[in-house]
Structures are given as C-alpha cells and as structure tokens.
Amino acid sequence: MQPLRIAVAGLGTVGAGVVKLLHDQADILTARAGRPLKVVAVGARSKKKKRKIPLGRARWESDVLNLATAADVDVVVEVIGGSEGAASDLVHAALSAGKHVVTANKALLAHHGADLARRAERAGVALAFEAAVAGGIPVLKALREGLAGNRFSRVYGILNGTCNYILSEMRATGRAFGDVLAEAQAHGYAEADPSFDIDGVDAAHKLAVLAGVAFNCVVNFKAVHVEGIRHVSAADIAFAGELGFRIKLLALASLGPNGLEQRVHPCLVPIDTPIAHVDGVFNAVVSEGDFVGRNVFEGRGAGAGPTASAVVADLVDIAAGRIAPPFGVPANALVKLPAAPMRDHVGRYYIRLHVQDRPGVIADLTAILRDEKISIESMLQHGRAKGDEGVPVVLVSHEAREASMSHALSRIGRLRAVIESPRMIRIEAL
Ligand code: NAP
Ligand code: HSE
C-alpha cells in the first residue's frame, strides 16, 4: 500500500499535536484511510528547539518552502500561521506544484480563501481546512456534506476558545482578565498575537470562512463587523447574570433582504439557551437550515489535541481519495453576496452608564432615547452614590435600530451627569 506522504510545516502547538496523533493512532488511521499516513518531512523556524514529538525518520527541512516542491511529498500541512509571509508563500507554492494542502490557518483563508480555492481546483488537488473553524468540531464537513440538502438562513456560535475561556473564568471565579489570558496562552489556545483573540479578529476570520462554506459565497472578511471583549467588565458580567443572561463573544452570519450580515461582538445570551452554558475552551456552532431546522455542534475549539484531530481528519479524506470543493461548490460558482450594513441591524441592547446620582439624570437619559424612538424594557440602579463618585445604571432596550442606538449613545455620553463613556452590549435573540 502506497502511504500518503506528509510534510508538516510548523511544529508548535498544532504541528506537534498532528505529528503525535499520526504516530499514536497509526493503526486506526491506516484502517480508515485504506493506506498508511506517513510524515516524511518537517520544518519550523528553529531546528535547535527541544520538541518532545515522535518524528521518527522524518527529515528536517530548514527552508519550509522546499516542502512545496519536494518529490517525496504528496500533501503539505501548513500550521505556521499568518495571512501573509511564510505560510502564504508555502501554500501558494504547494498548490502550484500540485500538492494537496491541509491548513489550520483561518487568517490566510479569511484573506485569500476564494483565490486559494480556485488555485487548488485548477491544480486538481485538495485544499482542506477543517481545523481552521471551531478547532475539533467537524462543522465544515457537517455543513458541506451532512447538511448539503439545506439552504442556511443563519450560522452562529462561539468561535474563539481563548475569549470563551476568559469570560467563563471571569464569571466563575472573579479573576482578572490579564491573569486568565496568560493561562489561556500557557495552554496553547491563544494566537501568536493574542490581540487577535481578544479583539475578535480570530473569531471574525473563522466566521468569514464558515459563512463561505454555509452560503457558498466568496469569503469576505472585510465585511465582518468586529468588536472584542476588552471592554467587558466584571460589573457587566454581574449585571448580565442579574438580568438572566450570560456574556459570550458570538460570531453570527445571517442572510436577509439586505444581504449577508456578518458580525463578531460580545452578546448577552439568555441563560436558558444551550450556548449560554458552553464554557471554557469549548466552542459551539449553531446552523439553521430550511429542511433540517437547527443543529447545535459543541466541542473543544483550541489546543493541540482537538486541532490535530481536525487536521488529521482532512488527511484521512485525502488518503482515501475524498476531495471536496473547499467551499462546497466549484470555485467559479461561489457567489458574491452584498454585505448588509451594520447600521441597519435591529436588536435589543444592554446599556451600562455611570452617572451622577441626582434628580433629573434619568429624565435626561430617557429624553434622548425617546428622541431616537428607543423604548426601555427595564432599568437597574442599586444603592446611592456617596459624594460625587456616581452610581451604575443599567438599561435594557426593546428592539431598536443600530444607527439610532449609536446616535443615542453618543448624545448620552456628552451629558454632564454621565461620568464614563456608556457601555453597550447587544442582546441576541437565539
Ligand atoms: P505556534 O505554536 O506559534 O507554532 C507555529 C509554528 O510555526 C512553530 O513551530 C514555528 O517554529 C513555526 N514557524 C513560525 N514562523 C515560521 C517560518 N517563517 N518558517 C517556518 N516555520 C515557522 O502556533 P499554533 O498555535 O500551532 O498555530 C498554528 C496555526 O494553527 C495558526 O494558523 C493558528 O491560527 C492555527 N490554529 C491554532 C489553534 C490552537 O489551538 N493553537 C487551533 C486552530 C488553529 P518554531 O517552533 O521553531 O518557533
Ligand atoms: N486562538 C484560537 C482560539 C485558537 O482561542 O480559539 C483556535 O483557533
């Protein structure tokens, strides 16, 4: 049996996990693929780094670009990361040389997904990236294959393990943001630049790729509205709990009359929805299809084992000759969907203000909301301010248009009685 000859470029959290899984599970992988999966070459930045991984007789390639053209390589696994530079050069070169490519690199796919799919198709090779979205959850395969009979109206979920870990730990233990982030980095969950995680960029990369597969459209990362979790405070987490919500960083893509809405931002989700209880490094994806209805997928979204599990599943498909169009349809059939403007988004809002505690303040706030035709569902204020320090006031709105809400918040922020910039978190109807 001719083995599938694999080159692994990048031996960090994911690359090391892939090499280990291929080694430890060799017997079942051979049985499932119909032939052995063999690592013939590896490369990373530093040869000197101590790596406790079973590399066997795989040769070291000091310039990973050479893996793209090596005669003894059938498939290049790119687990270096980054939308440009070494990872991008390697993937382009491998596809040009007619090698299959498996990658976990959502940044690369978010920026160049449709172009890379066209190149793979032209070369007649696979471009597979299950690990790029939701780590160990095989959601791309599920949407593309198991749910191929459906048109989707919406896909959404928790797509960043680092943020979910931070928000869960802050809520459960009251620990500080920075401490929990350091722990997520130590576990290998965070991106090389962790601001990609906490500023929502990583989830936005994944959402753009997920939407590409669900809606068979050209990946359009620039159209994603992105906000991260830096401004979510312990006070917001506590108020959300009091109001019957949890705070999650959600990524949502929905197709409506205005086009495709793609957004990543912290959300208040009702405590009685399944996604409210997805904690720690776990991710979840919910799809809404016209014939099947709602499907919920949950699993570990980051870390060596779960990510390697997804990479290796792609390798098994390639070894067995199962090569699917990367975004579900041939590259020239991918549609360009118009981007629905965020200002037209309609939803409920949580607003936290820090205001002077004196007569007339609430009347001034509500007058602005009235002018913008925003109706209040509930309001919370606890205690009484001592001196000038002010008190927190939380408002929950009925459904309002995003443009009206942002206009109202900028006016509210200019009131003399408002001590800090207003904090707004969207409430999601799930
Ligand atoms: P990582 O731990 O930082 O590892 C990156 C690897 O790439 C290292 O082995 C590094 O070499 C190597 N590398 C960096 N620049 C290179 C260059 N110019 N030439 C050759 N090798 C280079 O990253 P990771 O967490 O494994 O992530 C890898 C990819 O998987 C990224 O696209 C990431 O977004 C994606 N991903 C990660 C996870 C996760 O949980 N970590 C989950 C899903 C997807 P040295 O070891 O010598 O420094
Ligand atoms: N940094 C990413 C996360 C890794 O925390 O979810 C998985 O893609």
Side-chain angles (χ1 to χ4, degrees), residues 33-55:
R35 58 183 173 135
L37 275 65
K38 186 175 173 199
V39 179
V40 294
V42 297
R45 233 173 344 207
S46 158
K47 191 175 178 187
K48 287 194 188 132
K49 212 180 245 185
K50 289 265 176 292
R51 305 176 199 269
K52 289 188 194 138
I53 42 176
L55 286 173

Side-chain angles (χ1 to χ4, degrees), residues 351-355 365 391-395 409 412 418 422-423:
I351 304 154
R352 180 171 58 80
L353 304 162
H354 202 73
V355 297
L365 296 174
V391 282
V393 169
V394 168
L395 303 170
L409 290 179
I412 288 172
V418 173
R423 296 290 181 208

Side-chain angles (χ1 to χ4, degrees), residues 12 84 94 105 141 150 166 177 181 188 211 220 231 241 253-254 259 269 276 286 295 299 301 334 337 388 399 406 413:
E84 313 298 331
N105 189 340
K141 199 176 178 69
N150 292 269
I166 292 173
F177 184 97
L181 170 61
N220 188 359
H231 69 272
S254 55
V269 297
V286 181
N295 281 97
L334 292 169
L337 290 172
D388 292 337
E399 292 216 320
S406 38

Side-chain angles (χ1 to χ4, degrees), residues 106 159-162 189-191 197 202 206 301-302:
K106 51 268 173 161
L159 296 184
N160 186 270
T162 302
Y189 303 156
E191 294 304 297
D197 295 293
D202 175 72
K206 292 168 179 166

Side-chain angles (χ1 to χ4, degrees), residues 1-265:
M1 270 182 301
Q2 173 71 14
L4 180 76
R5 298 165 306 173
I6 300 163
V8 181
L11 293 172
T13 302
V14 182
V18 169
V19 172
K20 182 174 172 0
L21 198 163
L22 287 170
H23 173 269
D24 292 2
Q25 311 278 51
D27 52 348
I28 58 160
L29 294 173
T30 303
R32 289 173 182 168
R35 58 183 173 135
L37 275 65
K38 186 175 173 199
V39 179
V40 294
V42 297
R45 233 173 344 207
S46 158
K47 191 175 178 187
K48 287 194 188 132
K49 212 180 245 185
K50 289 265 176 292
R51 305 176 199 269
K52 289 188 194 138
I53 42 176
L55 286 173
R57 294 222 292 257
R59 73 169 190 284
W60 175 269
E61 184 57 72
S62 48
D63 182 354
V64 289
L65 207 52
N66 291 334
L67 298 171
T69 47
D72 62 344
V73 169
D74 301 313
V75 47
V76 172
V77 174
E78 182 279 302
V79 279
I80 293 172
S83 63
E84 313 298 331
S88 169
D89 294 346
L90 175 64
V91 169
H92 280 91
L95 295 176
S96 299
K99 311 284 187 202
H100 302 293
V101 169
V102 175
T103 177
N105 189 340
K106 51 268 173 161
L108 177 72
L109 293 157
H111 287 278
H112 306 293
D115 175 52
L116 292 173
R118 265 190 295 276
R119 286 169 190 267
E121 198 170 283
R122 219 178 293 139
V125 294
L127 169 68
F129 44 82
E130 187 60 67
V133 178
I137 308 175
V139 66
L140 300 184
K141 199 176 178 69
L143 295 180
R144 214 170 29 215
E145 298 175 24
L147 297 171
N150 292 269
R151 287 176 204 279
F152 298 101
S153 50
R154 181 162 76 154
V155 284
Y156 65 90
I158 295 171
L159 296 184
N160 186 270
T162 302
C163 285
N164 205 43
Y165 188 77
I166 292 173
L167 291 173
S168 307
E169 284 292 306
M170 282 173 72
R171 186 186 62 79
T173 65
R175 289 168 63 203
F177 184 97
D179 278 5
V180 190
L181 170 61
E183 201 171 271
Q185 287 176 293
H187 286 306
Y189 303 156
E191 294 304 297
D193 177 354
S195 68
F196 271 40
D197 295 293
I198 55 190
D199 292 331
V201 179
D202 175 72
H205 285 150
K206 292 168 179 166
L207 181 69
V209 175
L210 180 67
V213 172
F215 299 106
N216 302 139
C217 63
V218 172
V219 177
N220 188 359
F221 171 67
K222 285 194 186 129
V224 185
H225 173 90
V226 191
E227 293 170 29
I229 62 166
R230 281 183 204 263
H231 69 272
V232 177
S233 67
D236 294 318
I237 292 172
F239 277 122
E242 200 174 324
L243 291 162
F245 295 98
R246 293 267 165 89
I247 299 182
K248 296 287 176 191
L249 183 77
L250 289 193
L252 308 100
S254 55
L255 196 53
N258 295 338
L260 183 64
E261 184 180 85
Q262 299 183 85
R263 52 195 169 94
V264 170
H265 51 74

